[in-house]
Amino acid sequence: MGSDPRPRKQIHLAAHFPGVNNTTVWADAPTRRPTATPAGGAPPRPSLGSQIDFASFEHLARTAERGLFDFFFLAEGLRLREHKGRIHDLDVLGRPESLTVLNALAAVTERLGLAGTVSATFNEPYELARRIASLDHLSGGRAAWNVVTTSDAFTGENFRRGGYLDRADRYTRAAEFLATARELWDSRPDGGAPRRVEHRGPHFTVRGEFALPRSPQGHPVVIQAGDSAEGREFAASAADVIFTRHSGLEAGRAFYADVKRRLPAYGRRPADLKIMPGVTFVLGDTAAEAQEAAAEIRRRQVSPQTALLTLEQVWGVDLSSYDPDGPLPEIDPDPDGELARGRVRIADPRAVADKWRALSRAKGLSIRETVIETTGRQSFVGTPESVAREMDAFVQSDAADGFILVPHLTPGGLDPFVARVVPLLQERGVFRTEYTGTTLRSHLGLPEPARPARKD
Ligand SMILES: Cc1cc2nc3c(=O)[nH]c(=O)nc-3n(C[C@H](O)[C@H](O)[C@H](O)COP(=O)(O)O)c2cc1C
């Protein structure tokens, strides 16, 4: 280890509140005992309230702050997902609005960053800039905005008259949206009288004075979570953090290098943009115990019904007559078939189907076993020591700057990580032992945005 002349990179950590996906196993705080397996068929329902109950958010946020995490993260879905006309079980229980939850969390935390996902496609810059600046004021400089572009017309039906923004326009709108928000945030540099903002662009015309004085961070932290070339370019030009799905070592390194190499064109340094994959973890006292727990979690996540639903995402046709414990369908996917609504469409279903069939034949796996094998794999499985070592190696080899942890159990799933892995990362000298600043920007080591001079 001592032969590497580079200083060891510090790891950044965030806690994702995973309320509404089918990989979350709900548990009552603060126990780690699962109360339900969600999604598909009729599993026992999580007790109403767990997912919209403030105590759940508070538990995870307080745990993350106890662990000195950089930020707490909320995803957002703007339409309840459905499949064959049935709303997903977890969505039935409710999907609260991110910034409202974060404002409430600001009151029960002191240093933890508070990051909310809000779509640039279905909002307006003035109003959203105001809401995010409000969070930044109320929290003393801890606000972050995950600028997503939201990919489907199904969601658009809740918002737009007659359909959806073209794919090609999503990022031009997002870029102009963010630039406009920053013009508004910059319009009152010294807290004095408001200066008039005059913005005219292809997507927005905004003329008026911003409602709030400059917020503690000046520019709240901006996160980006899209993977296309346009998404990466947008992140390189304007984001502070990328939330990515590239959580494997090799894929992570390739993504990391690709994005960091785009930065100089925008006059930015590699350290100005942090790359944080979403990852999962399973801990055990021994490696074997952790593997066993990981396998059990995967079985809970992929019930027989969930296995068939997952397959239908790929095949695009009704597969309800198939036996989840039997072989994969011989029929080919219908690329134009109906998929679960509110989910990202798979680019090449035929290729995925072929790969899954080959895997199932090679290993003799049933439908359910194939789905368990191909989806929901945990990123870090092992003893606290091995997980700390692997995470450190991952960051030091430039596959990431840190992680957005997605616990399987909600809301108590982060507790063992904070109790057992954080101290080991601290011992390795790669994670803070106290908060040194008060703003999220300072936790992340991001530059202060330039303070524009007053023009009037
Ligand atoms: C890791 C990750 C998390 C995302 N989270 C959300 C989300 O919470 N809400 C949302 O509407 N879209 C979310 N998205 C979707 C993106 O905003 C974007 O619409 C989608 O990835 C398609 O854009 P792309 O073609 O650039 O990948 C997420 C995407 C990624 C990769």
Side-chain angles (χ1 to χ4, degrees), residues 75-76 117 148-151 167 170-171 225-228 231 243 245:
E76 181 154 86
T117 299
V148 293
T149 54
T150 317
S151 50
R167 199 186 153 79
R170 286 185 297 127
Y171 280 109
D227 196 35
S228 59
F243 174 23
R245 292 202 176 95

Side-chain angles (χ1 to χ4, degrees), residues 124-429:
E124 289 290 314
Y126 184 93
E127 172 57 9
L128 189 55
R130 188 170 76 99
R131 289 167 60 209
I132 292 169
S134 299
L135 175 62
D136 208 42
H137 277 289
L138 289 172
S139 64
R142 298 187 279 137
W145 168 28
N146 178 28
V147 185
V148 293
T149 54
T150 317
S151 50
D152 60 289
F154 173 69
T155 304
E157 286 173 12
N158 262 348
F159 294 90
R160 305 180 81 84
R161 193 158 46 155
Y164 182 64
L165 200 60
D166 273 354
R167 199 186 153 79
D169 291 335
R170 286 185 297 127
Y171 280 109
T172 58
R173 179 178 162 109
E176 190 184 334
F177 194 121
L178 179 56
T180 311
R182 284 180 170 155
E183 281 176 52
L184 293 161
W185 291 332
D186 280 343
S187 68
R188 298 177 61 173
D190 56 10
R195 171 165 60 77
R196 174 151 297 190
V197 171
E198 304 261 4
H199 175 94
R200 248 176 202 290
H203 292 278
F204 309 106
T205 302
V206 177
R207 185 162 178 272
E209 291 80 20
F210 192 49
L212 290 165
R214 192 171 178 85
S215 72
Q217 294 187 104
H219 293 177
V221 169
V222 166
I223 305 173
Q224 188 276 353
D227 196 35
S228 59
E230 297 96 312
R232 294 177 188 205
E233 210 55 40
F234 172 52
S237 71
D240 301 305
V241 175
I242 297 186
F243 174 23
T244 164
R245 292 202 176 95
H246 296 285
S247 59
L249 185 65
E250 283 319 308
R253 293 186 68 173
F255 179 78
Y256 190 97
D258 177 84
V259 173
K260 298 260 177 173
R261 107 164 53 88
R262 295 171 193 259
L263 289 165
Y266 300 99
R268 305 182 72 203
R269 299 165 310 148
D272 295 347
L273 176 60
K274 307 294 183 209
I275 299 188
M276 300 180 68
V279 299
T280 58
F281 60 89
V282 182
L283 302 175
D285 289 335
T286 62
E289 195 187 297
Q291 289 295 347
E292 223 171 272
E296 174 57 21
I297 288 168
R298 282 207 290 278
R299 275 193 296 276
R300 282 178 171 278
Q301 290 169 331
V302 184
S303 66
Q305 294 89 344
T306 300
L308 285 181
L309 290 184
T310 308
L311 221 59
E312 287 178 356
Q313 306 291 310
V314 179
W315 263 258
V317 293
D318 182 355
L319 300 174
S320 54
S321 61
Y322 282 76
D323 176 4
D325 295 321
L328 269 73
E330 288 303 327
I331 54 166
D332 282 330
D334 173 359
D336 305 316
E338 201 205 328
L339 301 172
R341 313 193 70 192
R343 293 254 169 146
V344 176
R345 186 173 270 273
I346 292 167
D348 187 354
R350 177 69 198 263
V352 176
D354 285 346
K355 202 166 118 199
W356 287 12
R357 281 194 286 231
L359 178 76
S360 133
R361 270 195 296 271
K363 292 194 172 179
L365 304 179
S366 67
I367 288 178
R368 185 176 177 204
E369 288 163 338
T370 305
V371 173
I372 287 173
E373 186 83 9
T374 51
T375 64
R377 276 218 157 264
Q378 294 91 350
S379 322
F380 296 99
V381 179
T383 60
E385 290 75 16
S386 72
V387 168
R389 191 171 55 240
E390 279 175 40
M391 284 188 151
D392 187 13
F394 204 93
V395 169
Q396 305 311 330
S397 65
D398 284 345
D401 294 312
F403 304 97
I404 297 185
L405 298 181
V406 189
H408 291 298
L409 291 179
T410 300
L414 193 65
D415 299 33
F417 186 93
V418 165
R420 303 182 69 187
V421 181
V422 166
L424 298 175
L425 294 174
Q426 290 168 329
E427 267 174 36
R428 300 178 80 85

Side-chain angles (χ1 to χ4, degrees), residues 24-86:
T24 302
V25 181
W26 277 83
D28 289 328
T31 70
R32 291 157 56 194
R33 208 164 1 97
T35 52
T37 43
R45 290 220 157 159
S47 57
L48 186 72
S50 51
Q51 169 179 318
I52 54 170
D53 190 342
F54 184 63
S56 301
F57 297 108
E58 185 180 7
H59 181 89
L60 187 72
R62 283 188 190 275
T63 307
E65 186 160 76
R66 194 168 67 245
L68 305 172
F69 276 38
D70 295 68
F71 61 93
F72 172 97
F73 181 91
L74 283 175
E76 181 154 86
L78 294 171
R79 181 156 181 184
L80 304 187
R81 293 157 305 169
E82 63 182 67
H83 186 64
K84 295 183 201 156
R86 275 186 58 211

